[in-house]
Amino acid sequence: MVFSLSEMCSRTRIPFTTCFGVVHVRNALLTIIILQLLGEIIETLQYIFAQSAYVPDFLEFLFEVIESLVLVSTIYGWWKEKKEFIVPLFIQSMLATMVTLLSTVLFFVSMFFPYTAAAEAFIPPGMIEDSASTRRVFFLMCFIFVTPIAALFGWFVMTSLGAYQYYDHKEKLEAFRRSRPLPSLNVR
């Protein structure tokens, strides 16, 4: 299956798809669920098997509970095809996208102005005395690392919105089908 650039950018592609019309939003939502589930498992294992006696504070614990609830809600929404249960994923993904995009912009600006107050907020304690070129390399590496994550969260937003629209369309289609009268079977 080979696509040309004009086909991928075309607005006449199949509805309710993502990744340039190749993946249906229901399958993409399953991919998001699997990625989030793997992330939660890794985070939980990290808390359990960490060598240090790190105890998360209340706010961090609250965020973990919210992430888990969003994951459960998304799984239920995907399983039962209920659009209302996709909304928490959309909100979480939108917030994550905004935070990572803001971080990306701050890292980009900090590459050119490594001694601003915003740049100082991101510098680890061991790098406070380092030269401007060392700081620029640090901010470049942060920019290179965070930019794909921002794009991934943006894809989460678009996919969750697409899944919401798909489930809404499917729900309205079913309601229309149920509202139609059945054909009469009068035989004469």
Side-chain angles (χ1 to χ4, degrees):
M1 180 186 298
V2 177
F3 294 101
S4 69
L5 183 60
S6 62
E7 286 176 348
M8 288 193 277
C9 297
S10 172
R11 297 214 180 255
T12 59
R13 63 175 193 217
I14 302 168
F16 309 119
T17 58
T18 185
C19 298
F20 302 108
V22 177
V23 180
H24 194 274
V25 290
R26 187 157 162 42
N27 296 335
L29 190 61
L30 179 61
T31 303
I32 291 172
I33 290 169
I34 291 169
L35 289 174
Q36 284 190 322
L37 192 60
L38 286 174
E40 288 298 317
I41 290 170
I42 290 170
E43 251 179 340
T44 303
L45 291 175
Q46 178 186 354
Y47 286 135
I48 293 172
F49 297 113
Q51 295 296 329
S52 65
Y54 173 73
V55 178
D57 60 352
F58 178 74
L59 192 59
E60 190 173 345
F61 179 73
L62 181 66
F63 282 139
E64 291 303 320
V65 169
I66 290 172
E67 281 180 14
S68 299
L69 291 174
V70 168
L71 179 61
V72 168
S73 171
T74 306
I75 291 170
Y76 183 78
W78 176 81
W79 186 263
K80 296 292 185 178
E81 297 186 345
K82 301 280 187 185
K83 65 181 181 183
E84 296 83 10
F85 292 95
I86 305 300
V87 173
L89 175 66
F90 176 76
I91 293 169
Q92 179 192 35
S93 300
M94 184 64 90
L95 291 172
T97 302
M98 288 189 294
V99 167
T100 53
L101 282 176
L102 179 64
S103 299
T104 301
V105 169
L106 288 173
F107 288 139
F108 184 77
V109 170
S110 295
M111 281 190 296
F112 299 104
F113 306 104
Y115 289 106
T116 61
E120 293 290 331
F122 289 109
I123 291 289
M127 288 185 66
I128 290 176
E129 301 298 325
D130 286 348
S131 66
S133 60
T134 305
R135 287 179 170 215
R136 284 187 173 109
V137 170
F138 171 75
F139 288 122
L140 175 65
M141 298 309 290
C142 290
F143 177 78
I144 289 171
F145 179 74
V146 173
T147 303
I149 295 171
L152 181 68
F153 285 140
W155 180 71
F156 282 16
V157 169
M158 298 304 292
T159 301
S160 60
L161 182 61
Y164 180 90
Q165 291 173 335
Y166 171 68
Y167 293 144
D168 183 53
H169 176 75
K170 198 169 179 181
E171 184 180 291
K172 287 178 182 175
L173 193 61
E174 278 300 314
F176 174 73
R177 286 182 182 156
R178 279 188 251 119
S179 69
R180 293 188 320 187
L182 293 174
S184 173
L185 296 176
N186 293 338
V187 179
R188 293 182 191 212

